[in-house]
Amino acid sequence: VGQYNDSSGNTDGLILTGWGTSWQATEAPLPAGAAGALSSGLSSVACPSATWCVAASSYSDSPGDFRGALVTGSGTSWKATKVPLPANTQTPASAPLYAVACHSAASCLGVGLYRDSSGNYQGLLENKSGTSWKPAEAPLPASSGPPAELDRVACPSTTVCVAFGQSQGDLLVETGL
């Protein structure tokens, strides 16, 4: 996954599927209501099976806020949905999604950041259990505070994920599910 510039100069999300020397390029879809996106791109993909993948995507809307999306599917059939956000998200929301990892199709974690109602950037956790995604603010160590962001994640089992990022310039490591 990644991004490319189209013939109009817009940045669009890119999905490549294939094997060996046989690859097919597909433009990543945008979520409903994001047709006026100024740019989009995909930054991470997880494929817990041969028939289902999920990619972390971000796009900018007309005011210039970055939004997160989850792009799911396989082959040339993909669907994008806006990431659900915590209740304390500032409106308009700015919440890009940077990475996703899955142990199975029913157990995934996406990470990024969002702006809370006080205007502070917080680490964003998007937990998939079964068929639904649930958002949460990443907890911070007692000695730290915002701004915080998470940009890498690994899920070695259905009960443990490790997310990495930073808070006030310090390395931030979250463990759990």
Side-chain angles (χ1 to χ4, degrees):
V1 295
Q3 61 190 35
Y4 70 98
N5 289 332
D6 66 18
S7 59
S8 299
N10 298 319
T11 304
D12 296 318
L14 173 65
I15 301 169
L16 293 176
T17 56
W19 184 258
T21 59
S22 178
W23 291 89
Q24 181 169 356
T26 303
E27 182 178 335
L30 291 169
L38 302 174
S39 67
S40 65
L42 290 88
S43 54
S44 173
V45 65
C47 297
S49 77
T51 59
W52 188 83
C53 296
V54 59
S57 174
S58 294
Y59 63 95
S60 65
D61 59 15
S62 55
D65 288 321
F66 279 92
R67 316 269 183 177
L70 295 156
V71 180
T72 57
S74 66
T76 59
S77 178
W78 297 89
K79 178 184 177 189
T81 56
K82 292 179 184 178
V83 294
L85 297 172
N88 69 335
T89 300
Q90 185 179 63
T91 303
S94 184
L97 194 64
Y98 297 129
V100 65
C102 299
H103 182 73
S104 69
S107 177
C108 298
L109 184 67
V111 297
L113 65 91
Y114 77 101
R115 191 176 310 149
D116 69 17
S117 56
S118 298
N120 296 312
Y121 282 103
Q122 303 287 353
L124 175 63
L125 299 169
E126 293 288 343
N127 186 10
K128 182 178 189 268
S129 180
T131 59
S132 63
W133 294 86
K134 294 190 177 22
E137 179 180 310
L140 294 173
S143 63
S144 187
E149 73 176 283
L150 297 169
D151 55 16
R152 300 287 183 264
V153 62
C155 294
S157 77
T158 57
T159 58
V160 175
C161 287
V162 180
F164 299 88
Q166 59 185 334
S167 173
Q168 296 184 358
D170 295 327
L171 177 65
L172 179 63
V173 179
E174 302 282 344
T175 306
L177 228 176

